[in-house]
Amino acid sequence: MSSVYEKMLDKNNAYSYLKQHLNLNESISILNNERLGIDDYDKFKESERLKELAQVNQENKQQEKASKFSKLISILAIALISILSSLSLSLYKNNIIRTQSNQMLKEKK
């Protein structure tokens, strides 16, 4: 195509087609020279294994954070329940003491 455009005196298109042809030739030569070997395959497998280990490690960290959070929530819930029960008990005892003191005041009148 480049030579056709050159004969037609269209230098811009001739140059662009020539450049595309050179880029294609260069890409093909690179692909022919770079054949994957066993070492490359082993490196690829090792990198995939490392990525998988990193992902599992990250998932473990997330699960650990979630378990710590659930333990904290359960401890806080137990603390809240114990505080509320002690308040209820003190209110009950206070009510009994108040009624006894009211009874004593009525008797003394």
Side-chain angles (χ1 to χ4, degrees), residues 66-81:
S67 67
K68 285 182 181 179
F69 184 72
S70 65
K71 284 180 185 178
L72 178 67
I73 293 295
S74 62
I75 289 171
L76 289 176
I78 290 170
L80 181 65
I81 289 171

Side-chain angles (χ1 to χ4, degrees), residues 7 23-24 28 49:
K7 287 179 184 176
N23 285 338
L24 278 175
I28 290 171
R49 188 182 67 80

Side-chain angles (χ1 to χ4, degrees), residues 4-51:
V4 172
Y5 279 114
E6 190 176 9
K7 287 179 184 176
M8 292 174 40
L9 298 177
D10 190 357
K11 301 289 182 186
N12 288 336
N13 281 335
Y15 175 73
S16 67
Y17 277 107
L18 185 61
K19 191 173 182 181
Q20 287 176 5
H21 177 70
L22 288 175
N23 285 338
L24 278 175
N25 272 345
E26 200 172 290
S27 299
I28 290 171
S29 67
I30 288 173
L31 288 176
N32 285 336
N33 289 336
E34 291 182 6
R35 298 283 182 210
L36 293 177
I38 293 175
D39 293 337
D40 295 330
Y41 178 73
D42 289 340
K43 288 177 185 176
F44 172 74
K45 281 297 189 182
E46 182 66 22
S47 67
E48 289 296 315
R49 188 182 67 80
L50 289 175
K51 285 178 188 176

